[in-house]
Amino acid sequence: MIPISDRRSSLSWSLAGAAGVFLVLWLWEFPKPMMDDLFYAGAGLNLAAGGDFSNPYLAGQEFPSHYFFVYTPLHSYVLAGWLKVFGISTASMTGFQGVMFFVIAASTLFLLRRHEAPAWLEWLVPLGVCAAFLRGGLRVEALATALTMAGFAWIACGRRGPGAVFGSFLLMFLGASASPRLALFSMTLAASAGWQLWRSHGSAAERRRIFLMMALAALLTGLAFLVMIQFRLREFLVTFRFHAAGALAREGGLWHRLVLFLGALGVTVWPLVLLLPVFVFLKLRRPRDELTVAVVALCGILPIAFVMGFLTFGSGWYFFLILLFAVPGIVRNASRVASVGLALALALACLAGISRPLVGLFGTMTGRISEKEVGDRAAVIALQPVAGHRLLVDTYAARYAFDYRIPQNFLCLEFGAPFPRYLILDVDFPPEDVFLLGPAGVHDLCARGLRNEEPDTWLPFGPKRWAFYRYPRKISIIPASSCNRTSVDKTSARTGQ
């Protein structure tokens, strides 16, 4: 048995290691721009700049409501509060994600230490967080998971008083409200924690007190939701249903949903998913412990989430979490050879999951990828919308030209078409439009035959999916009138929401 003081010292080192990983990522401006950034962050940016709860960059989508009711509001308000404190900038936006990553990792580390997981497992946690969330850019799933994991860790680490029950379930319920597509996973962990509490408290009075605290947490979550949408419940439900129905219909049948999920994960994360049945099989052959309920519950919810179309960006974390929860029970009575084999398999899968960011970081440090400004940034930020001439920015321009301080009346290129379409490039856009694009936007033009000059890329090895933009900060001013108008109705080549 390892002395308590030694265990605490080891945990301090793993927490410091996780903080160091996310600090390095923040210094190198991870997560990198992703096409969904302005969709999810736009309302928060607008609130922080003094506007209302709307996303002006999505005006081209023509949603039924002026307000950002196509998504639940918590992320927008939390992000706005963060930006009010730290200012609107790239450093603030990526810093917010970095803090969420650390909360996820720290909560998981406390859980693993509570259940006497091997020390080597703790050092894989930040790698798993990176594998699950870096690909998603500034999306909401990091906040939803941070709240859920913090709440679950609070109660699962032995805090069982009324205040702890109320606080932990409030965090898990808020996590569920932050991301509808991850709500099933948040509620599964909440149900697992509730079941464990129910079993550990035998008297009727104790169980009534637990139920009351959980009910109060649910009521407060619902009240906070109503306040954030200004009690416009009917308008919210109509708009939310309109968007959800269109998004799910666009995703198509089960096969197409599987393709979208695998694409959202990224091929480098597939090894973590492939390890899942092996680890679960080994886990269920061992004596049950407190984590067995969570493992079984999460495994049971996966097919339901898939059928409902809820497996998307960020859901890969819960695949990794099942692996983490399975390890302590597997290695407790396993041979040294078996333990080393599991450690190597999981470590290699984690390294594969973050291989693309690592290669990109190597390219930047060796000069293959230039982080210097290229082009006339002053000319880009000097442009102003005028009547009949729309200005559309992609996520690269939003970050590298405007530092997320985007002027009024600009639109988002990635979500500039009437819903359920999204990229403005996939509809018959007016020739008076002007595009302010980074390399990803220029690539989209070329992929649709609207331009001929692809952005410069660096291909370290393998297929084209491993290509990196050599000048990610290069922003181009492209009048729509200069584009080849014969290809505007091609279907999108990039992943949707």
Side-chain angles (χ1 to χ4, degrees):
M1 189 75 173
I2 301 174
I4 292 177
S5 59
D6 290 345
R7 294 206 305 267
R8 288 177 177 172
S9 176
S10 175
L11 179 60
S12 298
W13 279 109
S14 56
L15 283 170
V21 168
F22 301 126
L23 177 61
V24 170
L25 291 174
W26 176 71
L27 291 173
W28 289 96
E29 292 190 0
F30 284 92
K32 297 301 183 182
M34 188 264 189
M35 72 166 292
D36 291 343
D37 287 354
L38 288 182
F39 182 94
Y40 291 102
L45 287 167
N46 194 48
L47 284 167
D52 60 3
F53 180 49
S54 64
N55 189 338
Y57 315 117
L58 304 185
Q61 293 263 268
E62 300 177 359
F63 290 124
S65 173
H66 161 78
Y67 298 101
F68 187 57
F69 287 169
V70 298
Y71 211 78
T72 48
L74 182 63
H75 174 265
S76 297
Y77 281 92
V78 173
L79 177 62
W82 172 275
L83 296 177
K84 286 282 190 180
V85 174
F86 296 102
I88 298 175
S89 67
T90 297
S92 293
M93 296 290 282
T94 56
F96 178 80
Q97 295 298 96
V99 170
M100 296 305 107
F101 296 163
F102 178 73
V103 171
I104 296 169
S107 302
T108 308
L109 289 172
F110 280 108
L111 276 167
L112 295 177
R113 182 49 53 96
R114 167 73 177 181
H115 294 281
E116 299 183 345
W120 59 262
L121 189 63
E122 296 178 2
W123 294 96
L124 299 183
V125 170
L127 305 186
V129 173
C130 294
F133 295 106
L134 281 186
R135 185 178 174 84
L138 304 180
R139 289 174 60 104
V140 305
E141 288 82 8
L143 171 65
T145 307
L147 292 169
T148 299
M149 292 303 303
F152 185 71
W154 191 356
I155 201 71
C157 286
R159 303 293 184 180
R160 302 295 171 91
V165 172
F166 172 76
S168 63
F169 279 89
L170 177 63
L171 288 174
M172 287 187 280
F173 292 156
L174 288 173
S177 76
S179 172
R181 294 218 192 199
L182 291 188
L184 268 179
F185 297 100
S186 298
M187 296 310 295
T188 298
L189 288 182
S192 173
W195 172 250
Q196 297 284 11
L197 278 174
W198 195 263
R199 292 182 60 191
S200 65
H201 291 77
S203 71
E206 289 177 328
R207 289 182 172 181
R208 282 196 299 270
R209 189 158 51 245
I210 291 170
F211 180 79
L212 177 61
M213 292 299 102
M214 293 168 61
L216 286 175
L219 286 173
L220 184 56
T221 302
L223 178 61
F225 167 78
L226 290 174
V227 170
M228 286 185 285
I229 64 169
Q230 305 166 47
F231 293 91
R232 300 171 180 263
L233 183 59
R234 184 179 182 278
E235 183 179 349
F236 175 86
L237 292 176
V238 168
T239 308
F240 185 85
R241 185 176 181 277
F242 170 81
H243 176 256
L248 290 174
R250 185 174 60 198
E251 291 176 5
L254 295 182
W255 172 252
H256 191 48
R257 288 180 184 177
L258 176 62
V259 172
L260 287 176
F261 168 61
L262 294 177
L265 276 182
V267 66
T268 58
V269 185
W270 293 358
L272 283 171
V273 177
L274 295 176
L275 286 178
L276 187 69
V278 177
F279 277 58
V280 171
F281 173 76
L282 294 174
K283 170 69 174 176
L284 295 180
R285 295 187 63 186
R286 299 297 194 274
R288 293 188 178 184
D289 56 24
E290 290 186 10
L291 293 177
T292 303
V293 173
V295 169
V296 173
L298 287 172
C299 287
I301 210 69
L302 287 177
I304 299 174
F306 169 65
V307 171
M308 296 179 68
F310 289 173
L311 290 185
T312 181
F313 290 95
S315 55
W317 166 253
Y318 289 97
F319 286 83
F320 181 61
L321 189 64
I322 293 172
L323 298 176
L324 292 177
F325 283 177
V327 168
I330 294 174
V331 303
R332 193 160 290 137
N333 297 310
S335 66
R336 183 174 180 82
V337 173
S339 298
V340 171
L342 287 174
L344 286 175
L346 194 53
L348 290 174
C350 287
L351 288 173
I354 63 167
S355 54
R356 182 172 176 83
L358 286 177
V359 173
L361 189 57
F362 170 79
T364 301
M365 295 176 68
T366 58
R368 272 82 169 181
I369 299 172
S370 173
E371 292 292 342
K372 296 180 179 179
E373 289 185 8
V374 180
D376 192 351
R377 179 173 178 268
V380 172
I381 61 178
L383 290 172
Q384 294 294 328
V386 296
H389 292 74
R390 300 184 304 177
L391 295 178
L392 296 100
V393 297
D394 69 355
T395 53
Y396 280 74
R399 176 179 295 195
Y400 296 127
F402 296 102
D403 203 25
Y404 291 108
R405 293 186 287 269
I406 308 169
Q408 293 183 352
N409 301 318
F410 277 57
L411 294 180
C412 174
L413 175 96
E414 289 89 351
F415 298 94
F419 187 77
R421 294 289 188 94
Y422 42 103
L423 267 79
I424 189 65
L425 306 179
D426 292 334
V427 297
D428 190 8
F429 50 83
E432 294 82 11
D433 286 352
V434 177
F435 304 138
L436 309 180
L437 307 180
V442 174
H443 169 75
D444 284 335
L445 288 172
C446 296
R448 290 158 177 76
L450 300 172
R451 301 282 290 186
N452 298 321
E453 296 181 6
E454 282 276 5
D456 292 336
T457 57
W458 168 58
L459 183 60
F461 49 77
K464 287 186 177 181
R465 70 163 61 97
W466 275 94
F468 294 81
Y469 297 120
R470 192 178 293 275
Y471 303 104
R473 295 175 183 268
K474 182 178 181 180
I475 308 301
S476 303
I477 303 174
I478 301 178
S481 58
S482 69
C483 296
N484 176 8
R485 306 290 298 169
T486 63
S487 306
V488 296
D489 199 36
K490 292 185 178 181
T491 56
S492 174
R494 287 209 281 169
T495 306
Q497 301 167 53

